[in-house]
Amino acid sequence: MTNPSRIISLASAFYDSQVLFTASDLNIFGILSELGSADVAAVAESAALNPRGARLLLDACVSLDLLSKHGDMYANTPESALFLVPGSPGDLSQAIRYNRDVYEAWGKLPDLIKTGQPVERPETHLGEDSDRTRTFVLSMHGRALGMGRLLIPQLDLEDCRQILDVGGGPGTYSVLIAQRYPELSSTIIDLPGVAAVADELIVQQGMSDRVKTLPGSYHDTAFPEGNDAVLFLGVLHQESPEDITALFKKAYASLKPGGKVYVMDMMTDETHTKPAFSALFAVNMALTTTNGWVFSDAELKGWLTEAGFSGFSVAPLPPPMPHWLATVVKER
C-alpha cells in the first residue's frame, strides 16, 4: 500500500511554521542567547510567559531542532544561534517576519482561486498602513542583508559610476554595492511610504551621500539618464508581462551604451511547475499583489530581447538562495 506519510506531513506543515514564528516573535532565541542555558521558569519569567505555555513552546522547538534540551535546561542550537538571535551575524529574525505576515493570507487561498484576485490589498504593506509598511520594509532589509552576501559578488559593477535600483525597497542592495564600490552612486526608485523607511536605513548605515531615493511609482516616474547599470532585484514577480517589457524599455533608454541590466528573481522552467519553491512562491505573490506570479527564464529572455538588449545569460545563485540572476547588455 502507498505510504500516506507525505500527505500527512503536508497537511501539518504549518505546525512547524507557527512554532518558529511564535518563538521568534517572543524573542525566545534572544533570551536564551543571553542566559546561555535556562529552565522553563527562567525563560517564562524573562519573556513574561505562562510556564505551561512556555514549556509547550520550548519542547516544540526542541522537536524541530531549533533548541537543544538537556535535563530541564534549554539552549540554542548552533543553527538558531546564528540565524535566529537578533543581531547575530546571520540574523534572519527580521526576514522571516515577511513569511509570518503573509501567514493569514495563505488561509484565504480558496478566495484567490475562486476570484483570481489578491486576498489583501497590496497598498496595505506598500504605504497605506504605516506599521505594516515598516514591518515589510524592515523584513526585506533583513532578507537582503543575508542574500546580499551571495548576490553582490556576482555583479560586475567595477567600471560603473551610476546605477539605478528599480523597486529597491529598503535600499539594502544599493548600500551593499556602494560599500563594495567606493566610486559608485545609486538611486533607488520606490513608493513614497517605502522610500521613507529606506531613507532611515540608509542614514543609519552612513551611506546617504552616495545612495539616494527617488520616491514614486517606477511605472510612472521617469528613470534618470546616464546609468551604467539598472537593477531589478526581486521586484518583477509582482508585474504583468506587459509592464515588465515596458520597464525594460525604460531601462534601455536610461542606460549608456554598454550599460547592463541585472535581474534577480524567482524563476521556473517553461512548465511553471519547477522548481517547486518557485511555483509555490507564485501563489504567495498572487495572494498579496494584483499581478503576482513567477515567470520562466525563457519568458524573461524574450522580454529583454524585445526591449533591445543582447547577450542574455542566466544562472542560479549559490545555495541556499532559490533565485536566479540574469544579465544583458545595451550594445549601442
Side-chain angles (χ1 to χ4, degrees), residues 39-327:
D39 60 14
V40 169
V43 174
E45 181 179 358
S46 296
L49 305 175
N50 172 270
R52 176 176 177 270
R55 182 181 296 279
L56 288 168
L57 179 61
L58 293 174
D59 285 343
C61 285
V62 173
S63 76
L64 296 174
D65 294 324
L66 295 172
L67 297 177
S68 63
K69 183 179 183 181
H70 300 283
D72 292 331
M73 305 298 286
Y74 299 85
N76 286 325
T77 64
E79 180 185 49
S80 60
L82 177 60
F83 296 118
L84 295 173
V85 174
S88 63
D91 181 15
L92 294 175
S93 60
Q94 286 284 351
I96 63 173
R97 281 177 168 77
Y98 169 77
N99 304 73
R100 178 203 64 187
D101 283 351
V102 298
Y103 188 85
E104 183 178 350
W106 273 88
K108 301 175 183 176
L109 180 56
D111 295 340
L112 165 67
I113 306 309
K114 292 176 182 178
T115 67
Q117 299 299 314
V119 299
E120 68 173 37
R121 301 177 67 251
E123 292 83 1
T124 301
H125 65 274
L126 294 176
E128 191 173 84
D129 182 324
S130 59
D131 290 339
R132 179 72 185 274
T133 299
R134 175 173 290 275
T135 298
F136 173 73
V137 177
L138 292 178
S139 175
M140 294 301 100
H141 177 57
R143 291 166 68 94
L145 283 174
M147 293 165 57
R149 299 184 185 97
L150 298 174
L151 170 65
I152 303 306
Q154 310 297 318
L155 307 179
D156 181 10
L157 301 172
E158 191 67 45
D159 297 325
C160 296
R161 295 296 177 266
Q162 177 181 320
I163 66 171
L164 179 64
D165 189 354
V166 181
T172 314
Y173 293 128
S174 281
V175 168
L176 292 173
I177 290 168
Q179 290 171 342
R180 184 180 179 93
Y181 299 101
E183 303 301 319
L184 180 151
S185 297
S186 180
T187 299
I188 302 158
I189 298 181
D190 216 315
L191 297 171
V194 174
V197 183
D199 284 334
E200 297 176 20
L201 292 170
I202 293 166
V203 170
Q204 289 173 15
Q205 296 167 96
M207 296 302 293
S208 56
D209 58 330
R210 290 193 291 122
V211 179
K212 309 288 185 182
T213 62
L214 178 58
S217 164
Y218 49 65
H219 294 295
D220 305 321
T221 302
F223 287 5
E225 297 181 352
N227 297 303
D228 298 300
V230 177
L231 312 179
F232 295 92
L233 305 180
V235 65
L236 296 178
H237 51 247
Q238 60 186 343
E239 303 297 341
S240 68
E242 296 76 17
D243 284 339
I244 292 173
T245 302
L247 288 168
F248 287 158
K249 289 180 178 179
K250 289 178 69 174
Y252 187 93
S254 79
L255 281 165
K256 296 178 181 177
K260 309 169 187 175
V261 163
Y262 283 102
V263 179
M264 182 199 72
D265 224 307
M266 303 287 186
M267 296 183 205
T268 67
D269 63 7
E270 292 185 358
T271 72
H272 285 176
T273 64
K274 298 182 185 301
F277 185 84
S278 293
L280 292 170
F281 189 75
V283 178
N284 182 76
M285 291 310 303
L287 284 164
T288 57
T289 60
T290 303
N291 295 308
W293 66 318
V294 171
F295 45 80
S296 71
D297 55 344
E299 288 167 321
L300 178 62
K301 180 179 181 179
W303 300 324
L304 287 164
T305 301
E306 182 180 346
F309 293 101
S310 58
F312 177 84
S313 65
V314 64
L317 286 169
M321 289 182 64
H323 302 75
W324 288 59
L325 179 66
T327 183

